[in-house]
Amino acid sequence: MISFRLGVEDLADTRFAISPIHETVLSLRVLREPGLYALHLPWRRSVLGRLDAPATDVLMSLVGPDRGLPDFLTPRPTEFAAAFEDELAAVRRTPADVVRRDVLAVYPRGRLPAVFQEITADDDGPVLTLRDAICDHLHRYWEAAIRPTWPQIRLVLEADMTYRARQLAVGGARLLFADMHPNLRWHDGVLHIDKMIGRHQVTAAGRGLLLMPSVFSHKPAPPVSPDEPPMLAYPCRGVATLWAPTPTDATALAPLLGAPRARLLDLLAEPLPTVEIARRLAVTPSAVSQHLRVLHAAGLITRARDGRHVLYRRSPLGDQLAGQSAER
């Protein structure tokens, strides 16, 4: 078990970030163990043919026997949504001793794959050469496997953060962590992360807590090293919507609202921006905007600005109408 002891100031400094390099690195587990991530099988099938086999073998070897990954590949984000290239540049600056420490933490000495044998060298040169080669492979992998769908992935991550921010506003830290994952427990100022390889407690001591929703995490993932500040990648909501086809079944509301608006009202049980709604319904944003105006004028949905996006969600009246429809 790994735990974070958080004081009042740390809770006040709890914030969210989106990290493209985290998603890129965590997605390697999906390639390595597809059975563990059934929701991502459509994505996996679509990208396998675009990947360079030798490079993919090296990258998949980064996933240890217990599904651990070297911490240096997922640096702590320094801004809300950094560019992949900036995060990769930070990885390229990792000192040889940190690279060596993090790889050996995932692969205890004697169990290293052949491609990582250089990590045990006393000379830093081979270790840094290996680090740079991994970064080159990661960059090509990002371009082929993650970047084409990054706009959709980012929208799902942002929708989760909107939901979590509301949980925090309504019920504080206890409600924020309550439905994040069964492995998380909040008690007496300590966030406990169960079923982890390591066993240590990190005292935040004014460094706050950084939360990162992830579409490729199957459970909460804190840093392996106890020397790192509190940071947690966690499985975000709405992952099933990324690759699954949009349902087209008519609902009981279709005769009243029309099929497109009935599907739209059903979709807005959670706050979503126009572009994400359009993606899920496989229509243009302009078509969605027309239906949103009608539903908003009827009092069935609400809207609120969140950064760059206007988020739409069912109103209490819309919830009531949708709930009555579901009961029929």
Side-chain angles (χ1 to χ4, degrees):
M1 179 176 67
I2 293 175
S3 57
F4 297 144
R5 179 168 290 281
L6 305 171
V8 174
E9 288 300 317
D10 299 307
L11 288 175
D13 198 24
T14 294
R15 57 199 185 280
F16 292 87
I18 292 174
S19 172
I21 202 165
H22 273 73
E23 293 301 276
T24 301
V25 172
L26 292 176
S27 73
L28 297 174
R29 291 175 175 155
V30 179
L31 298 184
R32 179 75 175 267
E33 296 190 45
L36 191 64
Y37 304 85
L39 288 176
H40 292 304
L41 290 179
W43 169 82
R44 186 177 186 272
R45 286 192 295 267
S46 71
V47 303
L48 280 177
R50 304 198 299 266
L51 302 180
D52 175 73
T56 304
D57 289 343
V58 172
L59 292 176
M60 284 196 289
S61 295
L62 291 167
V63 183
D66 296 312
R67 305 189 193 100
L69 289 157
D71 273 353
F72 81 93
L73 296 174
T74 51
R76 184 183 180 88
T78 57
E79 54 187 284
F80 171 71
F84 175 84
E85 289 74 14
D86 293 340
E87 293 190 304
L88 187 64
V91 175
R92 288 188 186 274
R93 295 191 295 269
T94 307
D97 61 321
V98 175
V99 175
R100 188 182 290 110
R101 178 201 70 190
D102 290 353
V103 172
L104 291 177
V106 172
Y107 277 106
R109 194 177 297 271
R111 301 176 64 187
L112 280 171
V115 293
F116 296 150
Q117 288 302 319
E118 296 97 325
I119 211 73
T120 61
D122 294 331
D123 182 9
D124 287 349
V127 179
L128 297 178
T129 299
L130 176 63
R131 177 203 63 191
D132 292 344
I134 290 172
C135 288
D136 291 340
H137 292 324
L138 276 175
H139 188 264
R140 288 191 290 271
Y141 174 69
W142 154 261
E143 291 289 338
I146 306 298
R147 187 171 178 269
T149 55
W150 180 247
Q152 297 97 300
I153 291 173
R154 175 165 174 161
L155 284 171
V156 172
L157 299 176
E158 290 184 350
D160 178 272
M161 289 189 293
T162 300
Y163 170 80
R164 301 294 170 195
R166 184 174 185 275
Q167 294 291 89
L168 181 62
V170 170
R174 192 177 306 280
L175 188 58
L176 171 65
F177 299 118
D179 65 346
M180 208 173 256
H181 194 274
N183 289 2
L184 290 178
R185 292 183 296 109
W186 172 257
H187 179 68
D188 197 22
V190 179
L191 179 62
H192 302 276
I193 308 152
D194 295 330
K195 300 181 181 179
M196 298 300 303
I197 300 172
R199 192 172 186 84
H200 57 261
Q201 183 175 105
V202 177
T203 300
R207 293 176 294 177
L209 172 65
L210 185 63
L211 296 171
M212 291 182 297
S214 169
V215 302
F216 289 110
S217 285
H218 73 289
K219 67 177 184 178
V224 175
S225 171
D227 300 326
E228 296 295 323
M231 180 174 71
L232 186 68
Y234 65 89
C236 78
R237 305 167 77 250
V239 174
T241 67
L242 266 174
W243 323 121
T246 303
T248 57
D249 296 342
T251 70
L253 289 176
L256 175 65
L257 301 176
R261 290 170 191 163
R263 288 198 300 271
L264 182 54
L265 191 65
D266 183 63
L267 189 63
L268 290 177
E270 60 178 315
L272 294 172
T274 304
V275 288
E276 172 63 5
I277 297 168
R279 182 190 71 79
R280 296 196 192 184
L281 295 178
V283 297
T284 64
S286 61
V288 168
S289 295
Q290 295 176 24
H291 295 309
L292 289 172
R293 282 196 295 270
V294 173
L295 293 174
H296 184 263
L300 297 178
I301 63 173
T302 62
R303 62 190 179 195
R305 179 164 292 278
D306 181 56
R308 298 179 298 111
H309 301 295
V310 174
L311 300 178
Y312 294 87
R313 181 177 184 160
R314 281 200 311 246
S315 67
L317 177 60
D319 284 338
Q320 185 178 5
L321 191 60
Q324 289 174 351
S325 170
E327 290 171 2
R328 291 189 173 187

